[in-house]
Amino acid sequence: MGRSRGLMKYQIQEPPFSIEQILAGGMKEESGMARQFDEKYTTNELMMEFYERERPKMNLLSCPLDGMNAERQRLITGLREVLDIDKLKELLPGPLTYNKECEFVTFGVTTEKYCVNMADALNVPVYKLIPEQPNGRTVLYLHGHDNEGVMGAIMERYDKVRYHKNLPVLLAKEGFTVFAPELLGFGESDYLDFPEGKKPRGGCAAHVAFLTVCGYNLTGFRVFETMRVLDMMEQTGVDMPCIGFGVSGGGQVGEYLGVLDERIGALGLSS
């Protein structure tokens, strides 16, 4: 009781805006107030401090070729460690197999669906879009955040999520053979449990939680499984290097993949 009476002497001041307004993400228009940000809470300075600590101190343009190659290899090795690529290879060492599940036509383009088995419990859907007049070049397409997964980039959409603009289909119509895998956490490669086996709307959070407590990270896992898709592409007779193209979250995966895997000869990224 004494503690409760002691609290009474402190005067509680009203905040400049209500809790409801904060939760809504800003001020109501009729209030005449714009949302206010205090710069001391922003993370810009912290992120730049991290960047400066890790930024290569060597001027690669002015160093001898041997020195540049050695520094490049050091950075690549460090990136592999951060993404746990070698740990994942040891964890999931199984031979890669695949089989064709079905074939369908989307926007006039023949598309084959493959089940790629990368390990005992890791089966990845990979779609191959076949051009009518091949130009001899192959694209690995990495989709972005989409509840429909890679199918959101291939099939006709009636909702507002259209930023893929059916790019895999357009590439195939230009003569490119396109391989489009389902990235972990989307579409069919999602986690079922919310509740009673129902599919969540985008499973990044579930996979981040699982992988983090097990000592891995989601981005590294997606890079690893995409490397295995390149293995599958080679098994089907694709000449390497190929072209990589990533959109949004797929662009992040493609960026790391282009650094770590020499089978990516050219890379396009889109936000």
Side-chain angles (χ1 to χ4, degrees):
M1 292 293 295
R3 181 176 297 178
S4 299
R5 285 197 297 271
L7 290 174
M8 296 298 293
K9 67 179 181 181
Y10 294 101
Q11 220 173 14
I12 300 176
Q13 297 181 347
E14 290 294 325
F17 35 77
S18 69
I19 296 298
E20 289 75 17
Q21 289 172 324
I22 295 174
L23 295 176
M27 303 299 102
K28 296 180 180 178
E29 291 184 6
E30 60 267 23
S31 69
M33 295 177 61
R35 188 172 182 189
Q36 301 173 15
F37 290 92
D38 191 326
E39 289 187 5
K40 70 172 176 286
Y41 297 117
T42 62
T43 60
N44 301 52
E45 186 175 346
L46 177 65
M47 294 299 102
M48 287 306 300
E49 182 179 334
F50 283 168
Y51 173 75
E52 289 298 329
R53 288 180 180 179
E54 301 299 327
R55 184 168 61 89
K57 302 302 186 286
M58 179 184 296
N59 185 346
L60 297 180
L61 295 178
S62 63
C63 70
L65 183 59
D66 290 344
M68 182 172 66
N69 288 336
E71 178 66 5
R72 176 177 178 272
Q73 190 56 51
R74 184 187 72 81
L75 294 173
I76 289 175
T77 300
L79 182 59
R80 289 182 69 92
E81 291 177 357
V82 168
L83 296 177
D84 298 317
I85 299 300
D86 296 317
K87 285 173 60 179
L88 288 167
K89 288 179 68 175
E90 293 179 4
L91 179 69
L92 305 169
L96 183 143
T97 60
Y98 63 90
N99 64 281
K100 179 179 171 181
E101 289 193 332
C102 64
E103 180 179 307
F104 56 92
V105 176
T106 175
F107 295 104
V109 174
T110 299
T111 302
E112 299 174 342
K113 179 183 179 181
Y114 289 86
C115 173
V116 182
N117 176 252
M118 301 181 181
D120 289 341
L122 181 59
N123 296 299
V124 177
V126 177
Y127 296 85
K128 179 182 179 182
L129 286 75
I130 303 171
E132 288 188 2
Q133 298 180 336
N135 60 21
R137 290 175 288 181
T138 303
V139 174
L140 172 62
Y141 184 86
L142 303 175
H143 68 84
H145 284 70
D146 193 320
N147 292 327
E148 302 302 326
V150 68
M151 289 301 290
I154 296 174
M155 302 299 290
E156 188 171 358
R157 300 294 293 268
Y158 298 97
D159 55 15
K160 295 181 180 180
V161 185
R162 299 190 182 97
Y163 69 92
H164 287 287
K165 303 185 186 300
N166 298 116
L167 186 55
V169 176
L170 297 177
L171 288 168
K173 289 188 174 183
E174 291 296 323
F176 295 92
T177 300
V178 181
F179 285 80
E182 189 92 88
L183 295 179
L184 183 75
F186 298 106
E188 292 182 278
S189 293
D190 211 339
Y191 181 74
L192 299 180
D193 191 32
F194 294 88
E196 300 173 0
K198 294 181 180 179
K199 180 182 178 299
R201 294 186 62 79
C204 282
H207 289 89
V208 166
F210 270 100
L211 290 170
T212 299
V213 298
C214 295
Y216 300 93
N217 66 82
L218 180 60
T219 300
F221 200 102
R222 287 174 174 167
V223 173
F224 167 77
E225 67 176 354
T226 309
M227 288 177 167
R228 297 294 275 156
V229 173
L230 288 171
D231 293 339
M232 174 260 189
M233 291 166 61
E234 282 190 308
Q235 288 187 25
T236 64
V238 173
D239 292 330
M240 295 295 178
C242 68
I243 302 167
F245 195 95
V247 176
S248 188
Q252 181 192 44
V253 174
E255 183 178 20
Y256 294 136
L257 185 69
V259 172
L260 296 176
D261 202 310
E262 294 183 352
R263 292 174 292 183
I264 299 295
L267 183 64
L269 303 175
S270 173
S271 59

